[in-house]
Amino acid sequence: MNKKDGNKKPGTARTSGRPNSNKPKPALPKRAQGPKKDKPTTEGRPAARGAAKPVKKATAPKQSKNPDEIRLNKYIANSGACSRRDADIYIQSGAVKVNGVPVTEMGYKVKPGDVVNFDGATITPERKEYILLNKPKNFTTAGEDDAEMRNVLDLVRMATTVKLKPVGRMDKNTTGLLLFTNDNDLITKFAAANQKSHKIYQVSLDKNLKFEDLEKISNGVTLDEHRLYVDEISYIEGQAKTEIGIKLRTANVKVVRAIFEAFKYNVLKVDRVAFAGLTKKNLPRGNWRFLTEQEVINLRNM
């Protein structure tokens, strides 16, 4: 009798219910290795041989640019009515008309001779400009026909090609901040008697200002039967009591002089150090700068 398991030859396997066989099983045939097929994709699929090449979409020819035409939103912004972004909102809302017809098309171009109506008012494309000058002494806002005095416009003449006007008046002895613009609405606004923006002046007197006179001025002054209210008045810290700071709402420098002259003081110098939130920071005497967009917005909202 054959021994169980002990006489099993190496290389043979025992299977349940089948007789043992000493013959090795034939090896399975190897599969042929071909090139890997690309998975089907919606984009970038390899083109089949003989297939027609995809036809490129035809592009519309570029329109010729007319240098005399200007986009509607830029036209509005150049007029000073608002920014380009806000102009787009007005256009979409139908508040802009060209030649009497509402225009809501973005990118619409205005042609020479077109009449543009913005929110009920006709506007012009001239860009509104705003320049702040730190005026030196011996320049005046008087008419240019006065040959004896140098005009402040000479100081900003090279800044722009548009015709500017000063906001308010300054005599030759007054120094400090003076605003120039071609925005007639803003000029009219700051010339109004009820204008509420503040101006700060540093005044130099011929003698010390008495404390009791300072208190009287702080309570208001009557000039030519008109009551003038003073927002603030004080001695300038670290300087003689001839140097006074006064905060008013008037842009009329003559009024500043008249206040102190009413109390028998001679005014030697007036320097406007702040005008409607604008200051002389980084603006030396005789220099000028353009206002920022935010500064212009602030002036319009006053």
Side-chain angles (χ1 to χ4, degrees), residues 118-134:
F118 175 83
D119 201 25
T122 301
I123 58 176
T124 57
E126 183 181 58
R127 182 178 180 83
K128 298 297 185 291
E129 294 188 357
Y130 308 82
I131 292 177
L132 185 65
L133 169 72
N134 187 351

Side-chain angles (χ1 to χ4, degrees), residues 119-230:
D119 201 25
T122 301
I123 58 176
T124 57
E126 183 181 58
R127 182 178 180 83
K128 298 297 185 291
E129 294 188 357
Y130 308 82
I131 292 177
L132 185 65
L133 169 72
N134 187 351
K135 176 187 169 301
K137 199 174 179 181
N138 296 325
F139 284 84
T140 178
T141 56
E144 295 185 54
D145 55 347
D146 192 343
E148 295 181 359
M149 298 183 184
R150 290 182 291 178
N151 194 277
V152 290
L153 289 172
D154 295 334
L155 299 171
V156 297
R157 198 177 302 279
M158 301 302 294
T160 178
T161 56
V162 303
K163 188 173 182 180
L164 299 175
K165 297 178 182 178
V167 178
R169 294 184 177 183
M170 273 192 178
D171 57 54
K172 66 176 184 177
N173 293 322
T174 302
T175 59
L177 297 180
L178 181 61
L179 182 64
F180 295 83
T181 184
N182 58 338
D183 188 340
N184 291 324
D185 291 337
L186 193 71
I187 294 173
T188 303
K189 176 180 179 178
F190 280 94
N194 60 350
Q195 219 290 309
K196 297 181 179 180
S197 65
H198 293 104
K199 294 85 181 174
I200 300 176
Y201 301 88
Q202 180 174 342
V203 183
S204 299
L205 304 176
D206 64 333
K207 57 185 176 181
N208 292 343
L209 178 66
K210 297 178 182 179
F211 181 74
E212 55 266 31
D213 290 339
L214 185 145
E215 286 192 320
K216 289 177 182 178
I217 295 173
S218 67
N219 293 327
V221 182
T222 300
L223 299 173
D224 297 329
E225 300 181 354
H226 294 283
R227 190 67 176 172
L228 177 68
Y229 294 95
V230 176

Side-chain angles (χ1 to χ4, degrees), residues 82-143:
C82 64
S83 65
R84 284 199 195 186
R85 182 177 298 179
D86 290 339
D88 288 336
I89 298 174
Y90 277 97
I91 294 171
Q92 290 176 333
S93 66
V96 181
K97 295 181 181 180
V98 179
N99 300 327
V101 180
V103 174
T104 58
E105 175 189 347
M106 305 307 296
Y108 181 91
K109 290 189 175 182
V110 180
K111 301 176 181 63
D114 286 347
V115 178
V116 179
N117 187 281
F118 175 83
D119 201 25
T122 301
I123 58 176
T124 57
E126 183 181 58
R127 182 178 180 83
K128 298 297 185 291
E129 294 188 357
Y130 308 82
I131 292 177
L132 185 65
L133 169 72
N134 187 351
K135 176 187 169 301
K137 199 174 179 181
N138 296 325
F139 284 84
T140 178
T141 56

